[in-house]
Amino acid sequence: MTSDRSQEVGAEFSHRSVLLDSAVDYLVSDPDGNYVDATFGRGGHSQLILGRLGTSGQLLGIDKDPEAITVAELLAADDSRFGYFHGSFSELGRAVSDAGWGQVDGVLMDLGVSSPQLDDASRGFSFMREGPLDMRMNPLQSPSAAEWLASADEREIADVIWRYGEERFSRRIARLVVEHRKEAPIETTLQLAALVSEAVPKKEKHKHPATRTFQAVRIFINRELEDLEAGLQAAVDRLAPGGRLVVISFHSLEDRLVKRFMRDLARGPRLPKGIPVTADQEASDFRLIGKASKAGAGEVSENVRARSAVMRVLERIDNKQKSQGSA
């Protein structure tokens, strides 16, 4: 059983996991199975998963944030069924191998920045709080957002803000950043937020003008989309028959990537017309479970960050089910 000690670390910056119960409902099918919480965070999903597992069940938590690993260490000390890996979920295959596992019965990914990271001004993720312009999920890696903005050329900055933030005023923002840094370095979150606000001529109602720029820089600095592509593939490569991949995303770039990845796997191999194949060869090894899910009104009212969450579920089909479906 777990104690409350694992929740004490970082209690000043608590995190409420979005779609907590429904995600774990989809994930855990065998209480004695092996599962991966690929985005451990502060352990919200992991605590509930462990509550659903039997004495033989095992859970592996993965996170690149050293502060999350501090919480994971405490949880591992309290519960022998839990282990952890410090790194990106793009390294999921290695993490599973290090744990001595072959296949897994489920993988959960809760994407994006966590509440403790946003709420802690010293991490530099928020445009609402003064802090160093860092944005690294793993502060031991380089560069920080400030270091990148100090050296990148104007075109690269504009391209990043457009590609990862879909910000239509990306060129104006990049131009002002480059002009400003000639006079003084951009070192804090509020400095960057003020520059973006100055560069954006049209403000959106109920949305801070720096929202898209901060999202874009954060995604780029942490290689979030590249890691997501690698992590999704690593997850399905390790899924046992009947195992499920559950992914919760928070912005359209992530969700489009997840949707396309799952859809293509569920469709099966795209073979040229005229090639003779059996029904079993044509069938997919995966299927989508339900439709995309969103947080209900009650959860959104309690946690405003849940309003943009989208959950998708993919299952590796058991060979017996596949044979019956193609018979």
Side-chain angles (χ1 to χ4, degrees), residues 28-291:
V28 179
S29 57
D30 177 6
D32 293 321
N34 292 340
Y35 295 89
V36 179
D37 182 351
T39 47
F40 177 77
R42 295 302 182 269
H45 284 112
S46 285
Q47 295 273 6
L48 186 57
I49 294 168
L50 288 168
R52 304 281 182 90
L53 297 183
T55 55
S56 299
Q58 297 286 321
L59 175 62
L60 175 66
I62 300 175
D63 209 292
K64 61 173 67 173
D65 188 339
E67 293 184 8
I69 294 302
T70 299
V71 180
E73 289 172 346
L74 291 174
L75 182 55
D78 283 347
D79 196 323
S80 61
R81 300 171 301 167
F82 178 77
Y84 61 89
F85 177 87
H86 186 196
S88 167
F89 52 58
S90 64
E91 304 172 272
L92 187 146
R94 176 188 159 193
V96 170
S97 293
D98 287 355
W101 301 350
Q103 294 180 306
V104 299
D105 297 289
V107 176
L108 172 65
M109 294 182 175
D110 183 6
L111 305 176
V113 64
S114 70
S115 296
Q117 290 168 331
L118 278 173
D119 294 339
D120 184 354
S122 70
R123 301 300 299 272
F125 286 104
S126 176
F127 47 76
M128 301 297 291
R129 297 175 176 84
E130 177 75 345
L133 191 57
D134 194 310
M135 296 196 195
R136 291 172 293 180
M137 291 183 178
N138 184 352
L140 302 178
Q141 297 177 338
S142 293
S144 67
E147 290 169 339
W148 176 69
L149 286 173
S151 60
D153 63 37
E154 182 178 326
R155 181 173 179 177
E156 182 184 6
I157 295 171
D159 286 349
V160 165
I161 295 172
W162 168 251
R163 180 182 178 189
Y164 297 118
E166 299 178 314
E167 171 57 72
R168 58 181 175 144
F169 299 110
S170 60
R171 294 185 186 279
R172 294 171 63 107
I173 295 168
R175 189 179 309 120
L176 192 58
V177 165
V178 171
E179 289 175 359
H180 186 277
R181 76 185 187 191
K182 293 176 182 177
E183 305 296 329
I186 304 168
E187 297 178 332
T188 73
T189 51
L190 294 189
Q191 276 182 303
L192 179 59
L195 282 174
V196 175
S197 296
E198 183 181 343
V200 174
K202 296 181 180 180
K203 307 298 190 288
E204 294 180 62
K205 192 174 182 180
H206 305 309
K207 177 174 276 191
H208 193 286
T211 301
R212 291 192 175 94
T213 296
F214 269 66
Q215 171 187 297
V217 175
R218 189 203 81 218
I219 290 173
F220 173 77
I221 290 295
N222 294 289
R223 293 179 50 84
E224 290 180 37
L225 296 187
E226 292 87 348
D227 279 6
L228 178 55
E229 288 185 290
L232 291 171
Q233 188 60 55
V236 298
D237 287 346
R238 289 288 186 159
L239 275 186
R244 290 179 174 180
L245 170 61
V246 180
V247 184
I248 303 170
S249 50
F250 289 85
H251 60 73
S252 59
L253 291 176
E254 290 174 341
D255 185 53
R256 283 201 295 267
L257 194 159
V258 173
K259 179 181 179 180
R260 190 181 307 118
F261 178 84
M262 291 186 173
R263 178 199 63 199
D264 290 349
L265 281 179
R267 281 178 176 174
R270 311 291 284 178
L271 302 174
K273 292 182 179 180
I275 293 182
V277 293
T278 65
D280 189 60
Q281 289 174 316
E282 202 171 25
S284 172
D285 290 327
F286 298 89
R287 66 175 180 175
L288 299 174
I289 301 297
K291 297 181 179 179

